[in-house]
Amino acid sequence: MDNILKQLSFIAEKVSNSNIVESSGLLSGKMGQAIFLFEYSKLDKEYHRQACQILDAVFEAISNGELFHTYCAGLSGICSGLHYLQQGKYISDDDFVSEEIDSYLKTQLLDCINKDNYDFLHGAIGIGLYYCERYHNNKTMYKEQLQLIINFLSNSAIFEDSCVKWKTIKQEKISYNISLSHGISSIIIFLCKILKTGESDSLLIKNLIEGSVNYLLKQRMDESKIGSFFPYSSLEEELNQKKSRLAWCYGDLGIALALFNASEVLHRRDLYDFAMEVFEFSCKRRDLIDNLVYDATLCHGSSGISLIFNYMYLKTKNSLFLGTAQYWIDKTMEMCDFSKNDGNLKIFYNNITGKYEIRLGILEGLAGIGLTLLSFYNKKPPLWSKFLLLD
């Protein structure tokens, strides 16, 4: 535990004093940095002031017109982050969200719908998650907004036999993204969240969930030969079946999370058992290079893997998941050993340049790594993990 405290101290110092320029976003920028420092301030009160300063910079950027709509980098995520801080009593309950913000996000939602952009991090699903956070404030208004998204998903879905899927258009190539970060797995979890509110067309939502689950199940490969249950992309796109990476963003873990969520709302033991099979198999995947684990990030690195297994341990009390979570937190500590030279740190691997970088946000940087380490140190369920569809 002393080693985690030392690492957290280094991370807090780096996040609070870095001159790296990032967006104001929840997952990719300052909002996420502020959340980490507020959480860390429970251990070192000095950082509460610095967290407030970063939060002030977020407000200033918004007032200066630096507006985006996305959950990752824009207002929908920022407002969700503010709600989290209010619930944690880090900031006052004064409602930052105005009619202007809601009007802006609805306009952007309609634009996403017109462009068939359902993406969790950058499109309609992310705005929908913000609506889920705000639902208790104005059930009538946010129910209407959520219904827009449900109708969009229903109208844009492709129904084939018992399957439902949504296409992603990249240039002239049509593909079907099955991932948690950008694809059908995130749609399933989003629909499960709406279904739990009990306020929408439950039959339509259940049909969409069941159909998309059926589609995911048809993507299954022979894990004993390939090394993973599911491909990186859908089998329509990946004619040659290949092993997918072990990560939050793509591959088996995110898909198993979607199936696990679906098993709860559909009351299907078969889905639960299969999700457990995928997770238990994934516990054996511990070779970093073989599983494409090059850095410590939440998005595609060791801390994200650890977070998922810790989440599954808290859900199931399966000690195998706890041991696997600890293995990946140890790897995260090795990659972020600040007692070493900066050149040896493996915070974020840029696969374009082939070099390691220090980034600060939740998804690809130190704030996310720090929050994960804090959750292990505190031995409490990380409530912030809902930002990554783990709640």
Side-chain angles (χ1 to χ4, degrees):
M1 285 300 180
D2 287 343
N3 286 337
I4 288 183
L5 278 179
K6 288 179 183 177
Q7 297 295 71
L8 284 168
S9 176
F10 280 121
I11 290 172
E13 179 69 18
K14 198 78 174 179
V15 169
S16 60
N17 293 316
S18 175
N19 57 6
I20 297 173
V21 178
E22 294 191 343
S23 76
S24 297
L26 171 65
L27 297 181
S28 65
K30 293 184 179 68
M31 189 70 219
Q33 296 163 39
I35 287 173
F36 164 66
L37 291 176
F38 275 120
E39 292 285 1
Y40 182 69
S41 69
K42 292 178 181 177
L43 300 179
D44 188 337
K45 293 180 181 179
E46 170 66 21
Y47 284 95
H48 187 276
R49 176 178 57 83
Q50 289 158 333
C52 289
Q53 290 174 349
I54 293 176
L55 193 57
D56 286 342
V58 173
F59 290 139
E60 183 179 358
I62 293 171
S63 66
N64 289 337
E66 296 178 25
L67 297 178
F68 304 94
H69 66 276
T70 68
Y71 196 78
C72 183
L75 271 176
S76 57
I78 289 170
C79 291
S80 293
L82 289 171
H83 183 254
Y84 172 84
L85 292 175
Q86 289 167 343
Q87 287 183 313
K89 306 299 182 184
Y90 293 108
I91 60 176
S92 71
D93 286 335
D94 296 340
D95 199 352
F96 169 77
V97 178
S98 63
E99 289 184 10
E100 185 180 5
I101 287 176
D102 273 327
S103 176
Y104 169 77
L105 287 175
K106 183 175 181 180
T107 299
Q108 295 303 309
L109 171 62
L110 293 173
D111 185 60
C112 289
I113 289 172
N114 288 333
K115 293 177 179 176
D116 285 335
N117 177 10
Y118 63 77
D119 195 290
F120 157 49
L121 294 178
H122 309 299
I125 297 298
I127 298 176
L129 286 176
Y130 156 75
Y131 290 150
C132 289
E133 289 288 338
R134 295 286 297 175
Y135 185 73
H136 69 285
N137 291 76
N138 187 332
K139 287 190 176 182
T140 301
M141 182 176 73
Y142 293 112
K143 179 180 177 180
E144 291 175 359
Q145 316 292 50
L146 288 169
Q147 192 61 50
L148 282 175
I149 301 174
I150 295 168
N151 292 342
F152 159 56
L153 290 173
S154 178
N155 293 334
S156 60
I158 297 172
F159 296 84
E160 290 182 354
D161 300 323
S162 62
C163 296
V164 176
K165 59 184 178 181
W166 290 266
K167 65 181 178 182
T168 304
I169 301 176
K170 299 177 181 178
Q171 298 176 353
E172 296 180 356
K173 184 178 181 181
I174 296 177
S175 62
Y176 302 95
N177 194 312
I178 59 177
S179 74
L180 183 64
S181 53
H182 302 288
I184 292 172
S185 293
S186 64
I187 293 177
I188 291 173
I189 294 177
F190 172 69
L191 290 173
C192 289
K193 286 175 71 73
I194 297 179
L195 191 61
K196 289 175 183 178
T197 69
E199 295 287 343
S200 298
D201 185 341
S202 60
L203 181 59
L204 172 61
I205 295 172
K206 282 185 177 179
N207 287 339
L208 290 173
I209 293 172
E210 288 176 345
S212 48
V213 163
N214 289 340
Y215 178 70
L216 287 186
L217 295 176
K218 283 201 169 184
Q219 305 303 309
R220 180 176 179 175
M221 306 184 298
D222 185 342
E223 74 282 359
S224 64
K225 294 180 180 178
I226 307 295
S228 68
F229 281 80
F230 296 97
Y232 178 86
S233 303
S234 67
L235 294 178
E236 292 102 319
E237 184 178 354
E238 253 183 46
L239 297 178
N240 297 317
Q241 295 185 8
K242 296 178 183 177
K243 180 180 181 179
S244 57
R245 74 190 314 161
L246 191 69
W248 170 83
C249 54
Y250 280 83
D252 285 5
L253 295 183
I255 294 170
L257 278 171
L259 297 175
F260 175 74
N261 275 262
S263 75
E264 291 184 320
V265 299
L266 299 178
H267 308 291
R268 284 181 54 180
R269 181 73 193 192
D270 62 314
L271 288 181
Y272 176 89
D273 289 343
F274 179 54
M276 292 307 105
E277 183 182 353
V278 176
F279 282 122
E280 289 173 7
F281 179 86
S282 299
C283 289
K284 305 171 188 175
R285 298 176 60 182
R286 296 194 174 190
D287 184 274
L288 275 70
I289 302 302
D290 186 52
N291 292 293
L292 306 179
V293 183
Y294 299 129
D295 62 32
T297 62
L298 278 176
C299 183
H300 48 256
S302 57
S303 62
I305 302 170
S306 179
L307 183 71
I308 290 174
F309 278 110
N310 188 50
Y311 171 82
M312 290 308 303
Y313 167 70
L314 293 171
K315 283 284 189 178
T316 66
K317 301 306 178 185
N318 184 332
S319 60
L320 177 61
F321 298 155
L322 180 61
T324 305
Q326 185 62 59
Y327 173 84
W328 287 108
I329 210 72
D330 291 343
K331 293 301 176 185
T332 300
M333 294 280 288
E334 291 173 16
M335 293 181 184
C336 297
D337 187 351
F338 280 85
S339 65
K340 297 178 181 176
N341 209 301
D342 268 12
N344 293 320
L345 294 173
K346 296 181 178 180
I347 307 300
F348 172 81
Y349 179 72
N350 188 325
N351 60 9
I352 296 175
T353 64
K355 296 180 180 179
Y356 285 98
E357 302 172 5
I358 293 181
R359 296 190 179 183
L360 305 177
I362 286 180
L363 195 60
E364 295 182 337
L366 288 173
I369 295 167
L371 283 167
T372 305
L373 292 176
L374 267 176
S375 70
F376 270 81
Y377 179 79
N378 293 326
K379 296 182 179 179
K380 293 180 180 179
L383 301 180
W384 58 268
S385 65
K386 65 181 178 179
F387 301 141
L388 297 172
L389 300 177
L390 284 78
D391 65 346

